[in-house]
Amino acid sequence: MRSDQSDAETKAARPLPPGRLLETALYVRDMAAARRFYESVIGLQPLLASPIFCALGIGSGVLLLFLRGGSAEPARTPGGTIPGHDAEGRQHIAFQVPGEALRSWEDWLTGRDIAIEGRVSWPRGGHSIFLRDPDGHLIEFATPGLWPNR
């Protein structure tokens, strides 16, 4: 906030909040293994791919997979520059599924020798199962009722 701006002016100028999360990213060590997991096991569809990047469609959003270190420097595109970014360590994402589909997902995953590491029944009525992807990222499948807005 500029020093000559009051809180009221700042609040009045704020645009509408975002409508939804458009994309999120995971950083992976082995792009081929990550793609196999998210395409074959989870069922996401590739939208765009290169050796260091893959965009996978999920509902109205996009899951981006980046090879660790592969996007640390700015990327120049015909339309402008994407600032560098990267992450290390185990990350977390959650996929929302209908309540009646959670058991099917659990059966599908365990049938492919993917361990369910945790289960939670949430106070608002939602349920979650937790598993790991090939990079050790924590993947959650959650039914409605986890959050007040979903």
Side-chain angles (χ1 to χ4, degrees):
M1 179 169 63
R2 292 188 333 250
S3 61
D4 61 335
Q5 250 183 336
S6 71
D7 284 343
E9 289 175 315
T10 302
K11 288 180 184 173
R14 182 177 297 145
L16 292 172
R20 65 182 175 89
L21 185 64
L22 176 63
E23 58 188 31
T24 193
L26 292 175
Y27 298 84
V28 302
R29 290 183 303 263
D30 183 335
M31 184 62 70
R35 285 193 63 186
R36 274 192 306 279
F37 178 82
Y38 287 100
E39 292 174 27
S40 300
V41 176
I42 306 300
L44 304 185
Q45 297 300 310
L47 304 174
L48 183 63
S50 78
I52 63 167
F53 163 81
C54 182
L56 301 162
I58 174 165
S60 62
V62 178
L63 173 61
L64 303 175
L65 301 177
F66 290 96
L67 192 61
R68 284 195 179 148
S71 58
E73 297 299 319
R76 311 250 184 298
T77 73
T81 301
I82 302 168
H85 52 90
D86 199 20
E88 292 195 26
R90 297 187 300 178
Q91 300 157 50
H92 168 70
I93 61 171
F95 298 115
Q96 185 178 35
V97 298
E100 63 274 7
L102 191 62
R103 182 66 195 180
S104 296
W105 270 106
E106 190 167 352
D107 293 343
W108 170 260
L109 294 163
T110 56
R112 278 144 190 80
D113 295 324
I114 298 171
I116 304 300
E117 290 191 12
R119 291 172 184 79
V120 175
S121 294
W122 299 102
R124 297 184 185 279
H127 300 276
S128 295
I129 59 173
F130 298 88
L131 56 128
R132 300 279 176 185
D133 78 357
D135 279 272
H137 298 310
L138 184 62
I139 308 304
E140 177 180 1
F141 283 80
T143 66
L146 174 61
W147 296 105
N149 63 337
R150 298 288 172 251

